Amino acid sequence: MAEVERQANSLKRQASKARKYRALSEEIAALEARLGAARWRGAVVETAEAHKALETARAEEQKAVSTTARSTAAELEARAGLEPLRAAEAEAAGKLGVIKLQLARIEAERDAAKEAVARLERDITRLIEETTRETVQRDDAQARAERAKAGLDALPPEDAAAQAKREAELSAAVDAAMADLQTFEQEADQRRAALARAEAEAAAAQAAVRREDERYARLSADLAKAQQELAAIGDAATLDAALKHARARHADAEAKARAAQSTLAAAMRAVDEARALEARLTPPLLAAERKVGELEAELKGLDRLLRQVAATAAPPVMDGVKAPGFERAMAAALDDDLDAPADTASPVHWSGTHGDIGARLPEGATPLSDLVEAPAELHARLTQCGLVERTQGPALVTRLLPGQSLVSREGDLWRWDGFVRKAEAPLTSAEKLEQRARRTALVPEIAAAAKERDAAAEARNKASQQLTDAEVTLMAARKNVPELTRAAAQAHEAAIRAEQDVERLSLRGAALKETAQRLTAERDIAAAALAQAKSALGAAPSDRDREILILLAGKAKGARDAERSAAAALDAFLRDMERAAAQRLALTHDRDEWLARTSEASARLTTIARDLAEARTRLAGTKDQPAALQTRMDELANSSEAAEAARREAADTLAEAEGALRDAEMASRAARDGSAQAREMLVRAEARLEAAVRREAEIAEQVRAAFEQELDELEARVAAILAAAKAAREEFGEGDTAENDSGAHDAHVLDTRLAQLRRERDQLGAVNMEADEQLTEISKRMGFQIEERDDLTAAIGRLREGIDALNMDGRQRLLDAFQLVNSHFGSLFTALFGGGHAELRLTESDDPLDAGLEIFASPPGKRLGQLSLMSGGEQALTATALIFAVFLSRPAPICVLDEVDAPLDDANVDRFCRLLEEMRTRTETRFIIITHNAVTMSRMDRLFGVTMQERGVSRLVSVDLQAAERLAAA
């Protein structure tokens, strides 16, 4: 519902936006007409200014030609006297270079000789130092070798046989001590195990006598009680008949309720699926409708902007141009010429006749005629206009022939006569070409979008019909479910009550019979086991066995100490042997290493002595060379100074002549540049005049062709349109900006205003021109959803009534169960504690469904209080009574009790065990008790435990106490 309201509000805003869009489009069309008239007037003024500029350019061109002639003559005269001066300067520089080369070579030889003398002196010094160092190292190595030899001689001699004999003796002592230790330990373990076994058997026999005595008395009392209760139970045939009847009614009512609930659930799933499908299909439909509206609005806007000419008017060649991706390049190449028609009857037209077009464009430029599809009349113009990259244009423009031009894909223009127009300059024809291309592409887009919208609408209509059918089915199913559910619940309650009565009596009777039989057999077995346990009390261990065990433990300790001493002696002997062998090996290695170093040092001393003699001989032959070379250098330095003076004089003369030549060249270049600029201004003025004349005629023809009116009539029409636009803008609360510009005829002002209006129209974004019709449709749909909301409100009321009925039924059932458990809890608590009183209370709320549960108890001799005020044992017994009360109300097959008797003393453990026996007789529940209490374990039928006879190996052991008793009795 909220989504539909949001869509209705959105459509209202879109309808308002569409009206504003139409008003802006009308005002834009009026300003375009006024702009055409203003451009016509501007073209007339531009033609007159172009005539004046042409006369001025011709006078400047004549003046520049005469200046260029004078400067060229002066440059030729200066260039003729420069060559002899350059030859003289080169000859003087050559002589100076030869002298400097000789001087550099001799200087290098002198430096090399000095370096050789210094190097030989350093080598002699180094060899003397090495001789001293090697002598010291040789003497030190000889001394160290002598010390290592003395250490070897001081070590005791090796005796492998004596060492092996000693090691064997120590190993034999260790083995003998180990054997004695194992013998004493085995005998002690055997004695210890026999003693423990005898003690365990004696303790078990005493416990068995006590346990069997108690068991016999307990079984006799239980048997008498069971026989009395069994005699009190009568026949249950009447209750069986009532139980069968109640079960039949319950099965029939429950089958009907399940069928109704299944039907209701299926209907609700169908409604949810249909609603989800409708919600899922609505956004695609709205998106498709919005897309179709936007495309159609864009097409209408383009139709108005392009202003398709009438059938009688000659269409411009622009209509035949197809240049996808090259619109700005075509606009840069032809610009307003694209608006001219091919009709020869028109004052401005493309005739198709032209001169020679055989000239080829520069390499790297692609003719536009190869890239676009255009009328044949444009072929000549397009073949002489090439497409290049923006970075290539300035380099290729100098290679253009007259009549040729270059353009870039972005809209740059370079013409053969030097005219350049950047891509940033406005191109009205580029926008028109893009608009025509966009209009052509819009037709298939609108068809595809309309097809998608129709498919989405059909799918959504089917989903809406499916939702309506599912809701009708759901309403019918909801009427039957509450009544059938209540009938099934009532039948179920009656069946449960009958079943509980029959089950309670039958279970009680069977349990009592089984208990009587079992108690009779157990009492006989207990009597036999008691006699056998009394006969087994005389097998207790003696004090003599304990004394023998203590003696064996002392012998084992002495044997362990002897084994440790023998092992320590063997380890010490082995460590001494290893230490002596390692020391002998290290001294031998040191002696051999220092002897080798002594030999190496002696050989190095011999080599050093030979190298020292050779170095002294070379030094004696090299010592006098640096002085002789220095004398030769002094002579060449005097000759170099004279040659440098002659070269400097020739260079100064040449520099003066070159300065005069540069002045003449600069004057000549400035004159040529001035002449080129004057020619360029003349060509530009001629082109400007030609373009102004052509533009004046073209604009006049375009205005007449576009609006079929003269200038005066067109301005009157524009005034009427602007008045209507003013009224429309006042409707939307905007200022009267149109009237403020009504008297302006400046093209720049009109361009600014037109751009402002276009931006204002573009800021409206996507405009849905069908918003009014869609608003009517969604209003009808919102009325239908209001009816659905009312139906849902009524259904919620019925659902709440059903919930209240279920709460009432649940509240009654909870109270019944609470009373049943509370009665069992009170009786079990009294039996466990031998008196006292306990009860359950609902707290914190009057509603049983929201209330909490609290336990109040008063053991014998204490006041009534909460469970938290009782001792740990009393809390454990009370909790056990509550658990068993729940089991009596609704028995379960198995009950697991984990360490329940842990906080209890022996008296309370006995009470717990008696209550457990009572529960066994009153129910068929099997109780599993996890405990460490011997009293509790003695009252069980079967024990399960874990033993570890071998270290690290656990085994599960199971003992059937009744079978064991029977076996012992046999």
Side-chain angles (χ1 to χ4, degrees):
M1 183 65 187
E3 178 66 23
V4 176
E5 290 178 353
R6 285 195 296 270
Q7 292 176 5
N9 294 331
S10 175
L11 288 174
K12 290 178 182 178
R13 292 191 296 270
Q14 292 177 9
S16 176
K17 188 190 295 185
R19 291 194 295 275
K20 186 175 181 180
Y21 184 89
R22 295 189 188 98
L24 289 173
S25 299
E26 293 295 334
E27 187 172 356
I28 290 171
L31 287 179
E32 286 177 345
R34 177 183 288 183
L35 181 61
R39 286 178 176 171
W40 190 358
R41 291 189 183 89
V44 174
V45 175
E46 185 179 354
T47 302
E49 293 177 353
H51 276 293
K52 295 179 182 179
L54 178 61
E55 295 300 328
T56 303
R58 285 175 179 170
E60 293 293 333
E61 196 268 342
Q62 292 295 331
K63 183 178 178 180
V65 169
S66 60
T67 303
T68 302
R70 289 193 301 271
S71 61
T72 302
E75 179 185 359
L76 293 175
E77 182 179 358
R79 194 180 298 277
L82 189 64
E83 291 301 326
L85 296 176
R86 286 180 175 171
E89 193 274 339
E91 183 178 0
K95 292 180 180 179
L96 178 62
V98 171
I99 293 173
K100 287 185 176 181
L101 288 174
Q102 293 177 353
L103 184 62
R105 179 175 55 78
I106 294 173
E107 184 179 4
E109 292 178 356
R110 182 201 64 183
D111 294 340
K114 288 182 178 180
E115 178 64 26
V117 172
R119 184 173 64 254
L120 289 172
E121 291 176 349
R122 289 195 300 272
D123 289 345
I124 292 171
T125 302
R126 176 179 57 78
L127 291 172
I128 293 173
E129 292 175 353
E130 290 182 356
T131 301
T132 302
R133 184 172 62 254
E134 291 297 331
T135 302
V136 172
Q137 291 180 355
R138 182 191 61 187
D139 296 341
D140 181 64
Q142 288 177 350
R144 289 177 179 272
E146 292 296 333
R147 285 198 297 272
K149 183 177 180 183
L152 283 173
D153 295 339
L155 290 175
E158 292 182 306
D159 189 355
Q163 293 173 358
K165 180 178 180 182
R166 178 60 179 164
E167 182 178 358
E169 292 174 354
L170 293 174
S171 298
V174 171
D175 295 338
M178 181 66 73
D180 294 341
L181 175 61
Q182 291 178 352
T183 301
F184 290 134
E185 284 183 345
Q186 289 177 358
E187 187 174 355
D189 289 342
Q190 292 173 359
R191 287 284 183 177
R192 189 180 296 109
L195 181 61
R197 189 164 52 251
E199 290 177 347
E201 290 176 355
Q206 292 176 357
V209 170
R210 184 173 60 256
R211 183 178 64 252
E212 295 303 331
D213 191 10
E214 295 175 354
R215 183 183 178 193
Y216 181 80
R218 175 177 51 81
L219 290 175
S220 299
D222 291 343
L223 178 59
K225 184 178 178 181
Q227 289 174 349
Q228 291 176 1
E229 291 184 2
L230 182 60
I233 295 178
D235 188 14
T238 304
L239 291 175
D240 289 337
L243 175 61
K244 293 179 181 179
H245 180 66
R247 285 177 175 174
R249 287 182 57 201
H250 171 244
D252 182 59
E254 194 172 25
K256 292 180 180 179
R258 281 198 300 269
Q261 289 176 353
S262 300
T263 304
L264 176 60
M268 293 178 68
R269 286 195 299 272
V271 169
D272 292 340
E273 292 173 358
R275 185 173 292 111
L277 178 61
E278 183 185 24
R280 190 169 60 252
L281 294 176
T282 298
L285 174 60
L286 295 177
E289 291 175 346
R290 184 165 52 252
K291 183 177 180 181
V292 171
E294 292 172 356
L295 293 176
E296 289 178 348
E298 186 179 0
L299 179 62
K300 292 177 182 178
L302 289 175
D303 287 341
R304 286 194 297 271
L305 291 174
L306 293 176
R307 294 198 177 279
Q308 301 294 333
V309 298
T312 57
V317 293
M318 185 185 298
D319 293 346
V321 174
K322 295 182 180 178
F326 300 98
E327 289 84 359
R328 294 195 62 81
M330 285 290 293
L334 299 174
D335 198 14
D336 293 336
D337 294 345
L338 288 169
D339 294 329
D343 186 4
T344 56
S346 177
V348 178
H349 63 273
W350 289 89
S351 63
T353 59
H354 49 77
D356 183 20
I357 58 173
R360 297 179 58 84
L361 291 170
E363 185 177 358
T366 305
L368 284 179
S369 58
D370 297 342
L371 301 174
V372 303
E373 181 181 346
E377 290 81 3
L378 301 180
H379 180 71
R381 182 79 169 269
L382 296 179
T383 55
Q384 298 304 308
C385 183
L387 181 71
V388 296
E389 298 293 335
R390 298 189 73 175
T391 57
Q392 297 177 346
L396 296 177
V397 69
T398 57
R399 297 162 57 185
L400 293 176
L401 299 177
Q404 293 182 342
S405 60
L406 300 174
V407 295
S408 69
R409 188 186 293 265
E410 292 80 6
D412 301 284
L413 171 66
W414 300 271
R415 213 161 59 193
W416 66 277
D417 54 5
F419 178 75
V420 176
R421 180 169 59 206
K422 296 295 183 182
E424 292 78 12
L427 293 172
T428 57
S429 55
E431 184 177 356
K432 293 178 181 179
L433 285 174
E434 292 172 352
Q435 290 171 353
R436 280 174 165 78
R438 177 57 183 162
R439 187 188 182 285
T440 303
L442 274 177
V443 176
E445 287 185 17
I446 291 175
K451 185 177 180 181
E452 182 179 354
R453 178 197 60 191
D454 296 340
E458 183 180 358
R460 188 187 174 283
N461 291 336
K462 291 181 180 178
S464 298
Q465 183 60 39
Q466 183 178 351
L467 175 59
T468 302
D469 297 340
E471 288 175 342
V472 172
T473 304
L474 177 61
M475 293 176 64
R478 281 175 173 166
K479 296 179 180 179
N480 298 327
V481 171
E483 183 178 353
L484 293 176
T485 303
R486 284 194 297 270
Q490 294 172 358
H492 178 61
E493 184 178 359
I496 289 176
R497 286 196 296 268
E499 182 179 354
Q500 288 176 347
D501 294 340
V502 174
E503 183 178 3
R504 184 167 58 252
L505 290 177
S506 60
L507 290 176
R508 184 59 177 165
L512 287 174
K513 291 179 182 179
E514 181 182 354
T515 301
Q517 296 174 359
R518 179 174 55 80
L519 290 175
T520 302
E522 288 180 355
R523 186 185 61 180
D524 298 339
I525 295 173
L530 177 60
Q532 184 179 359
K534 290 180 178 180
S535 63
L537 287 176
S542 63
D543 294 337
R544 177 59 181 168
D545 294 331
R546 293 187 177 89
E547 292 175 357
I548 294 173
L549 178 61
I550 294 172
L551 180 61
L552 289 174
K555 291 181 179 179
K557 182 177 182 301
R560 187 179 294 107
D561 294 339
E563 187 270 338
R564 290 175 180 172
S565 299
L570 176 61
D571 291 340
F573 174 75
L574 293 177
R575 284 196 299 272
D576 292 341
M577 295 299 297
E578 291 175 356
R579 190 181 304 109
Q583 189 175 4
R584 182 176 288 103
L585 180 62
L587 289 174
T588 303
H589 179 269
D590 290 345
R591 181 196 63 188
D592 297 340
E593 183 177 359
W594 289 117
L595 290 175
R597 289 188 180 183
T598 302
S599 301
E600 292 175 358
S602 300
R604 282 197 297 272
L605 285 172
T606 303
T607 303
I608 289 171
R610 183 175 63 253
D611 294 342
L612 180 62
E614 292 178 357
R616 286 172 175 170
T617 302
R618 288 199 301 272
L619 178 62
T622 310
K623 195 174 279 187
D624 298 333
Q625 289 183 3
L629 292 173
Q630 182 63 42
T631 303
R632 178 60 179 160
M633 286 178 60
D634 295 339
E635 295 175 356
L636 288 175
N638 296 330
S639 301
S640 173
E641 292 178 356
E644 176 65 24
R647 187 203 64 77
R648 191 180 300 111
E649 182 179 358
D652 293 341
T653 305
L654 177 62
E656 293 177 357
E658 288 179 344
L661 177 60
R662 282 195 299 273
D663 294 339
E665 288 178 346
M666 291 177 62
S668 176
R669 187 179 301 109
R672 287 195 298 273
D673 292 343
S675 178
Q677 292 176 359
R679 286 195 301 273
E680 183 177 353
M681 290 177 59
L682 178 60
V683 172
R684 191 179 297 112
E686 291 174 349
R688 178 183 175 186
L689 177 59
E690 179 184 356
V693 172
R694 186 174 64 253
R695 183 175 179 80
E696 180 182 353
E698 290 174 353
I699 290 176
E701 182 62 27
Q702 289 174 0
V703 171
R704 294 190 188 96
F707 303 102
E708 299 180 357
Q709 291 176 335
E710 293 299 330
L711 186 60
D712 297 337
E713 298 174 353
L714 181 60
E715 289 184 344
R717 175 185 174 187
V718 168
I721 296 176
L722 288 177
K726 172 186 175 183
R729 296 178 68 85
E730 289 177 352
E731 178 185 353
F732 295 104
E734 300 180 2
D736 188 12
T737 56
E739 190 171 349
N740 294 336
D741 300 337
S742 60
H745 296 284
D746 181 62
H748 176 70
V749 175
L750 294 176
D751 271 331
T752 303
R753 177 58 182 161
L754 185 60
Q756 179 184 356
L757 290 175
R758 285 175 177 168
R759 283 196 304 272
E760 187 175 351
R761 185 180 64 181
D762 293 340
Q763 286 174 358
L764 293 176
V767 179
N768 185 3
M769 305 305 290
E770 307 296 332
D772 293 330
E773 293 82 354
Q774 294 177 1
L775 181 60
T776 302
E777 180 183 350
I778 203 167
S779 298
K780 296 178 181 179
R781 182 181 173 192
M782 189 164 62
F784 176 70
Q785 289 195 353
I786 290 173
E787 296 177 359
E788 290 183 336
R789 182 189 61 188
D790 296 338
D791 293 341
L792 287 175
T793 303
I796 291 172
R798 292 192 297 271
L799 182 60
R800 286 176 177 170
E801 292 176 0
I803 293 173
D804 292 339
L806 290 177
N807 286 339
M808 185 181 299
D809 186 38
R811 192 175 294 110
Q812 185 60 42
R813 290 189 181 188
L814 178 60
L815 289 175
D816 295 342
F818 174 77
Q819 293 173 0
L820 181 60
V821 173
N822 194 14
S823 63
H824 289 310
F825 174 58
S827 62
L828 291 177
F829 181 86
T830 303
L832 267 177
F833 284 89
H837 172 69
E839 64 178 0
L840 302 174
R841 294 181 185 177
L842 297 175
T843 62
E844 299 178 1
S845 176
D846 295 334
D847 188 355
L849 297 178
D850 296 330
L853 185 65
E854 188 67 52
I855 300 174
F856 289 87
S858 60
K862 292 186 179 182
R863 290 184 299 178
L864 185 67
Q866 295 181 350
L867 181 65
S868 58
L869 302 177
M870 301 171 65
S871 65
E874 291 173 341
Q875 290 181 359
L877 285 179
T878 305
T880 304
L882 180 58
I883 293 172
F884 288 159
V886 175
F887 270 85
L888 285 176
S889 301
R890 185 169 293 274
I894 296 176
C895 176
V896 180
L897 301 176
D898 187 2
E899 299 288 354
V900 175
D901 55 356
L904 304 180
D905 55 13
D906 292 341
N908 286 330
V909 169
D910 184 64
R911 293 178 182 176
F912 167 70
C913 293
R914 288 202 303 271
L915 179 61
L916 195 61
E917 291 291 338
E918 177 67 19
M919 291 298 299
R920 287 181 55 191
T921 59
R922 298 177 63 178
T923 65
E924 292 185 354
T925 302
R926 299 303 181 193
F927 292 92
I928 299 175
I929 312 299
I930 300 173
T931 181
H932 291 85
N933 193 292
V935 177
T936 305
M937 287 189 284
S938 67
R939 305 285 286 272
M940 297 296 106
D941 296 333
R942 181 180 291 273
L943 296 179
F944 295 91
V946 178
T947 182
M948 188 183 292
Q949 296 179 352
E950 301 179 18
R951 185 178 299 275
V953 180
S954 300
R955 290 182 58 192
L956 183 64
V957 178
S958 173
V959 178
D960 188 345
L961 295 182
Q962 294 180 357
E965 291 174 354
R966 289 193 296 270
L967 180 61

